Amino acid sequence: MPNTDGTGSRTAIVTGAARGIGAAIAQRLAADGLSVAVVDLDEAACAGTVETITSAGGRALAIGADVSDATSVDTAVERVVDELGAPTVVVNNAGILRDNLLFKMSVDDWDAVMAVHLRGAFNTVKAAQKHMVEAKFGRIINLSSTSALGNRGQVNYSAAKAGLQGYTKTLAIELGKFGVTANAIAPGFIQTDMTAATAERVGVPFDDFIKYSAEQIPVQRVGQPEDIAHTASFLISEGAGFVSGQVIYVAGGPKD
Ligand code: NAI
């Protein structure tokens, strides 16, 4: 069932899409035929993702917004409606790390992580849900993590990523009757700037960090952003309408 924006295609919002996993998801959804709002803190930083999509014949729009700020998100969603069409797919991918052991972690580091991951995912769905309800179709994906199961140095991040799983299941329960599904993808180690920053923080060259991590993973390699984009492509598809409230671990082996 096409969107009603005149283009015949659905519109997706992907947050944190200037780089990494978000950029790969945005590109994949565009290749799947969706118009994609590429949202990140800095509009200019979204240009690369937008250029990749448009040069491949897709439709994309760069939007600068801070997902932790409700007003900023509301303004962004209004722009999406005006310039791309009513959004019926939302991928909450924006994320930050503020890793530290509990006894060294500041309240600011706790709050910052909660604000981006949890409040951010709340703000975007709150702003977009009426468009999904009106269309009687919606697909929500929240980026969780294997860290939701516990990870040393990440009390803030693991709590936020576990919180996103509960959030996902409740969205699935509340919005299911409107044709809206909500699922979480919980990646393991994915090779991005985020994992590069972790390697730097622990003082290990990124190549060594990747090699060591790959040895611990059943499929013997680390993940790439495209691995997550492929899963997202399935979850937003028409045919996945009976898959809701699930957490899919995409980690090269079992996690939960
Ligand atoms: P990344 O650090 O490469 O990219 C994150 C993007 O989010 C950046 O472009 C950043 O500017 C944006 N962002 C941060 N705060 C924002 C805000 N307040 N508003 C809007 N945009 C904001 O990270 P990566 O690796 O691509 O991760 C994407 C998601 O996947 C995150 O939620 C992360 O927690 C999750 N994840 C990543 C894993 C990995 O191994 N890389 C593993 C499990 C989960």
Side-chain angles (χ1 to χ4, degrees):
M1 191 177 69
N3 223 340
T4 51
D5 65 353
T7 66
S9 77
R10 296 196 187 284
T11 297
I13 294 174
V14 184
T15 69
R19 68 183 198 195
I21 294 170
I25 293 173
Q27 287 159 26
R28 178 60 189 262
L29 298 196
D32 289 345
L34 286 86
S35 301
V36 181
V38 176
V39 177
D40 212 293
L41 282 170
D42 176 14
E43 181 171 327
C46 299
T49 307
V50 169
E51 167 61 21
T52 306
I53 290 172
T54 51
S55 63
R59 189 160 176 249
L61 172 70
I63 299 186
D66 177 352
V67 297
S68 68
D69 182 90
T71 308
S72 174
V73 171
D74 288 348
T75 306
V77 171
E78 278 165 27
R79 254 195 87 191
V80 174
V81 173
D82 290 346
E83 297 183 43
L84 284 182
T88 53
V89 174
V90 172
V91 181
N92 288 305
N93 166 84
I96 59 168
L97 294 178
R98 293 288 184 272
D99 293 356
N100 225 329
L101 293 173
L102 172 70
F103 79 104
K104 289 194 278 192
M105 186 174 289
S106 68
V107 171
D108 282 352
D109 286 342
W110 174 269
D111 286 346
V113 166
M114 295 301 153
V116 176
H117 296 269
L118 282 177
R119 198 195 311 145
F122 168 75
N123 285 340
T124 52
V125 175
K126 185 93 191 294
Q129 58 86 26
K130 77 169 185 187
H131 301 293
M132 303 188 195
V133 170
E134 277 167 14
K136 295 195 167 45
F137 174 91
R139 297 282 186 264
I140 299 162
I141 298 176
N142 298 314
L143 266 290
S144 180
S145 167
T146 53
S147 294
L149 303 168
N151 199 24
R152 185 179 169 80
Q154 294 194 318
V155 282
N156 51 0
Y157 185 80
S158 62
K161 292 306 199 186
L164 280 170
Q165 297 189 8
Y167 174 64
T168 301
K169 288 175 189 292
T170 303
L171 290 178
I173 291 166
E174 290 191 11
L175 298 174
K177 66 180 169 192
F178 304 109
V180 179
T181 67
N183 292 285
I185 300 175
F189 186 117
I190 308 297
Q191 189 175 342
T192 67
D193 289 343
M194 184 178 271
T195 36
T198 300
E200 194 174 340
R201 191 179 65 80
V202 298
V204 178
F206 196 33
D207 286 347
D208 295 349
F209 197 56
I210 287 171
K211 190 168 172 290
Y212 170 78
S213 301
E215 285 164 3
Q216 320 303 313
I217 297 171
V219 301
Q220 297 283 289
R221 69 168 176 90
V222 299
Q224 298 299 324
E226 292 71 25
D227 291 310
I228 307 306
H230 192 73
T231 311
S233 173
F234 162 69
L235 288 172
I236 65 103
S237 67
E238 304 282 331
F242 207 51
V243 182
S244 196
Q246 301 305 301
V247 179
I248 302 185
Y249 284 85
V250 183
K255 280 294 166 187
D256 198 19

